[in-house]
Amino acid sequence: MRRTTARSGPKASAVDAAYEECRSLVRRTRPTEHALMDLMPPSVRPACWAMYAAFAHADDLLDFSDETPQERGNQLREWRAALEADLASGTSDDPIRLALTDAVRRWGLDLGDLLGALDAVQQDDGREGVATWQEWRERAHAQNVSWPEQLMRILARCGMPVPVRLRDLPGFTRFVEGLFLTDMLRDLPEDLDGGHVWLPTEVLERFDVTPADLIARRWTPAVRELITHLAGEARAWLDAARRALRSTLPLGPAIVLDTTVDLFGAELDAIVRAGGDALSRPVRVPRHKQWRILGPSRARAAVVWRLTLPPETVAADKPSAVDIPEDTPEWQPVPVADPPLPPRPHRDGVRPPEIAAALLPHHVAIVMDGNGRWATALGLPRDEGHRAGAVALRDVVQGALEIGLQHLTVYAFSTENWKRSPDEVAKLFAIMRAELLDGELLQHDVRLRWVGSPDGLPEDVVEVLRRQEHATRHRTGLTLNVCVNYGGRAELARAGASLARASLAGEIDPGRVSEQLFASHLPHHAMPDVDLMWRTSGELRVSNFLPWHAHYAELYFTDEPWPEVDRRGLWEAIEAYTHRKRRKGASTAPVVQARHDEL
Ligand code: FPP
């Protein structure tokens, strides 16, 4: 069953109005950030406004009210306590808190992490400034790392396999520092009005500038050099972060990253050009420059989200119009949901065909072919095809659970796939890792088994495969065998070597090697035989896939590329299988399909 938050939570109109208020606050006070949020998929934008408005409100409570520092600190503490109470009750009489409460519940955001970021803002209360760059960095990270990570969680929830722990990616903390320093430079006029200088004392001393020089707006050569140096640092950090991060991010987030670096870079240029004015009035990037950056990004982002995300994510930016699953569990970056969630219904409400259990194939194997061609035909890089392919796999797995399939084996990376470009290979592994760690796949009653060799695989991929195998070992619904770094002949050769070793050790008699004995030396001897092998994208080959287990498989080929497949494709394949005559060498088909029980 699905519901909208609005039906059981606060009224849709109140929630929509709260988000709208957050939006106008962000648009009014942080137009650059607002423009960047507009690059996100429509259904995600309201949560961006809510998170940013909460953060900006907390910051402003400390910076801009007329009260004494102590009163301002108390105000923020009260606001933070009220937010916690609202999050517990699920509603609020304050629009920013109501929107944030809704966003946290709707998307399963990490509350502890968000509150931690607010607490870090609170710690600025009563502080005079920071002494060293190290201290400055710690402050930048504590206040700012959580927000983009929550955004990634939301994208993961939307159906996009992304790394949700950005802080583990090289370059990400540099990115945060670049943003924070740019923000500090553009907020200089307000901060100086309030008598605050947040730049590290060590850099002021290096340029022989005192906080009093800045507060008095003395545009000395030393101050000019300091501001030029800081703007150069911020730009260098942003550029370095872009270089490090770009290739690890999917195309949609990468467009947002590029545009952020370009827009913030334009702000830094404007600050340097403004000279002494940058200390006393907000500096704006000329409109035509903004448009030159934003216009193409908007068009590209809209196309990319449409191609790479499920349609409902791209459709609405009215939060209460988006359906979310009933009993959404807290979305933690933990390996798997316990207990597992029931299968997610298809968005069109389609149900599986009714097929008697005895007629169902026991084991279906899929060659998920055509990711690269699908992406290329749409003008996207090949890795976007793999990302869309992972989303297709999610849906097929839902369909397998719904129809009651016991074993599904998918070809995710063959030993031949190492011939692809290192960039494509690295991205494919990153997609698999993200999906297995943070995606939907293992939230359901799915037991993961990895079939393949660790030789040459990155350690973090091996680790996540092993860890998730272990975490799902007690699941009883569907066994999902994921073939990663798998080659059929290599598997047979390994079994042959193992038999030869056993023979040399005198453990077996070579004259008595039976099929059953041979099978027991295969790396995955407990895997049942494949009944049905399905390959998408029009190729009519089996490509070294499960030569032992698929010896009697029914073959089924379809033309559509894998990213265009959903669970209905699996059901059609299974229906086609039920009409095949499985004689297995006999002259008439058995009345009921033979069962291949696990060895
Ligand atoms: C073949 O298409 C597909 C692959 C080599 C990769 C398939 C992997 C996924 C769908 C992700 C799986 C995710 C998990 C979590 C198991 P191709 O690139 O060979 O397409 P082409 O023939 O058009 O080039």
Side-chain angles (χ1 to χ4, degrees):
M1 208 179 97
R2 287 160 83 80
R3 64 167 164 78
T4 63
T5 305
R7 253 178 265 145
S8 55
K11 279 200 162 48
S13 55
V15 175
D16 291 343
Y19 278 115
E20 205 41 58
E21 194 152 337
C22 292
R23 173 186 200 150
S24 62
L25 184 142
V26 178
R27 189 166 35 197
R28 208 176 48 248
T29 59
R30 313 296 202 270
T32 305
E33 281 80 351
H34 180 262
L36 290 168
M37 289 174 200
D38 265 357
L39 296 178
M40 296 302 289
S43 67
V44 172
R45 289 175 201 159
C48 299
W49 306 328
M51 287 195 289
Y52 204 88
F55 184 69
H57 181 71
D59 203 31
D60 291 352
L61 275 181
L62 282 185
D63 284 351
F64 296 125
S65 62
D66 292 332
E67 282 85 3
T68 62
Q70 199 188 357
E71 283 164 341
R72 291 197 299 243
N74 284 342
Q75 276 183 353
L76 179 54
R77 258 184 296 281
E78 277 166 28
W79 194 81
R80 155 81 161 77
L83 174 63
E84 260 192 287
D86 294 344
L87 287 165
S89 74
T91 188
S92 175
D93 53 10
D94 170 86
I96 296 178
R97 295 201 306 263
L98 177 59
L100 188 61
T101 300
D102 187 75
V104 166
R105 296 192 146 209
R106 182 178 296 277
W107 296 107
L109 304 182
D110 185 339
L111 196 53
D113 219 35
L114 277 175
L115 290 175
L118 282 178
D119 288 343
V121 175
Q122 169 91 59
Q123 277 163 19
D124 280 350
D125 171 32
R127 206 201 285 234
E128 281 309 312
V130 290
T132 61
W133 274 120
Q134 183 53 29
E135 211 181 309
W136 182 92
R137 283 201 172 94
E138 281 161 17
R139 180 171 172 253
H141 300 171
Q143 294 187 8
N144 298 289
V145 163
S146 178
W147 313 94
E149 285 195 338
Q150 304 303 319
L151 215 59
M152 289 291 151
R153 249 159 216 267
I154 296 176
L155 287 178
R157 267 275 165 110
C158 284
M160 170 163 283
V162 280
V164 300
R165 272 185 66 86
L166 288 174
R167 66 192 83 181
D168 295 340
L169 296 184
F172 177 67
T173 47
R174 262 287 183 244
F175 179 61
V176 164
E177 289 159 16
L179 296 182
F180 195 57
L181 184 53
T182 310
D183 188 49
M184 206 163 257
L185 289 173
R186 72 184 175 184
D187 282 356
L188 263 180
E190 290 98 332
D191 285 345
L192 297 178
D193 279 348
H196 302 300
V197 176
W198 294 117
L199 298 165
T201 314
E202 73 175 91
V203 76
L204 298 183
E205 284 173 354
R206 187 177 144 201
F207 284 86
D208 211 8
V209 170
T210 63
D213 290 334
L214 292 171
I215 291 168
R217 274 55 169 201
R218 282 186 210 114
W219 188 246
T220 61
V223 172
R224 194 188 60 234
E225 259 183 64
L226 170 74
I227 300 294
T228 310
H229 167 77
L230 291 171
E233 288 287 273
R235 182 178 264 291
W237 296 345
L238 288 170
D239 285 340
R242 167 170 28 202
R243 281 194 300 277
L245 281 170
R246 188 122 194 357
S247 63
T248 51
L249 290 178
L251 203 51
I255 292 174
V256 180
L257 170 78
D258 272 342
T259 318
T260 306
V261 173
D262 291 343
L263 268 186
F264 274 61
E267 294 203 336
L268 291 165
D269 289 346
I271 288 167
V272 172
R273 257 198 316 274
D277 282 354
L279 302 183
S280 43
R281 61 168 179 78
V283 173
R284 293 249 176 274
V285 177
R287 260 180 184 276
H288 69 276
K289 282 217 166 124
Q290 262 192 7
W291 275 101
R292 249 204 323 257
I293 297 168
L294 277 169
S297 298
R298 277 194 190 140
R300 287 181 64 220
V303 173
V304 165
W305 296 127
R306 210 169 318 119
L307 292 174
T308 56
L309 283 174
E312 62 270 23
T313 310
V314 201
D317 72 352
K318 213 174 181 345
S320 58
V322 180
D323 272 1
I324 59 168
E326 183 101 52
D327 298 329
T328 302
E330 276 296 287
W331 181 261
Q332 298 295 343
V334 289
V336 292
D338 185 22
L341 303 180
R344 169 177 53 76
H346 188 272
R347 63 170 176 273
D348 295 342
V350 286
R351 300 284 307 142
E354 291 197 6
I355 297 175
L359 293 178
L360 277 179
H362 191 47
H363 184 179
V364 176
I366 310 180
V367 183
M368 309 180 286
D369 198 13
N371 291 350
R373 277 167 284 163
W374 175 84
T376 308
L378 291 166
L380 297 172
R382 288 177 60 85
D383 57 290
E384 287 302 327
H386 299 314
R387 201 175 309 283
V391 174
L393 178 60
R394 287 184 182 187
D395 203 71
V396 165
V397 164
Q398 304 301 319
L401 287 163
E402 284 185 321
I403 204 167
L405 187 68
Q406 290 290 297
H407 294 265
L408 179 67
T409 300
V410 292
Y411 212 175
F413 189 84
S414 73
T415 42
E416 287 76 26
N417 289 151
W418 288 111
K419 292 178 203 146
R420 295 170 181 227
S421 77
D423 181 58
E424 180 182 344
V425 170
K427 283 178 174 156
L428 179 51
F429 287 145
I431 290 164
M432 276 184 220
R433 236 184 128 252
E435 182 56 31
L436 294 175
L437 271 180
D438 304 304
E440 179 193 46
L441 215 51
L442 301 183
Q443 301 298 317
H444 299 274
D445 195 5
V446 172
R447 179 183 181 201
L448 180 80
R449 303 298 309 273
W450 167 33
V451 182
S453 159
D455 296 346
L457 276 183
E459 252 170 52
D460 59 352
V461 174
V462 173
E463 196 237 316
V464 80
L465 286 163
R466 293 216 161 113
R467 183 167 133 202
Q468 301 302 61
E469 269 194 322
H470 184 76
T472 58
R473 68 195 180 287
H474 298 306
R475 298 265 182 82
T476 54
L478 170 76
T479 299
L480 175 67
N481 301 299
V482 178
C483 296
V484 181
N485 204 19
Y486 173 84
R489 282 192 162 188
E491 181 180 60
L492 297 182
R494 269 205 298 279
S498 162
L499 277 168
R501 271 194 303 273
S503 169
L504 282 174
E507 291 161 10
I508 58 166
D509 171 1
R512 303 181 70 117
V513 175
S514 63
E515 287 186 13
Q516 214 172 1
L517 183 66
F518 186 92
S520 71
H521 283 259
L522 285 166
H524 287 272
H525 54 87
M527 187 156 85
D529 281 347
V530 174
D531 301 305
L532 170 64
M533 184 183 283
W534 170 24
R535 180 174 190 147
T536 59
S537 211
E539 305 290 349
L540 309 180
R541 287 189 293 278
V542 290
S543 298
N544 201 17
F545 189 33
L546 305 172
W548 181 270
H549 300 91
H551 70 126
Y552 243 102
E554 294 295 327
L555 301 179
Y556 179 78
F557 298 102
T558 50
D559 285 334
E560 78 281 27
W562 177 250
E564 284 176 14
V565 163
D566 74 5
R567 69 187 83 182
R568 289 171 294 195
L570 175 72
W571 296 339
E572 280 163 23
I574 290 177
E575 273 194 306
Y577 169 84
T578 63
H579 297 119
R580 300 269 174 101
K581 303 247 180 306
R582 304 269 289 155
R583 283 195 294 277
K584 301 197 132 185
S587 53
T588 52
V591 179
V592 172
Q593 304 282 345
R595 241 308 117 72
H596 312 273
D597 289 328
E598 287 195 32
L599 290 170

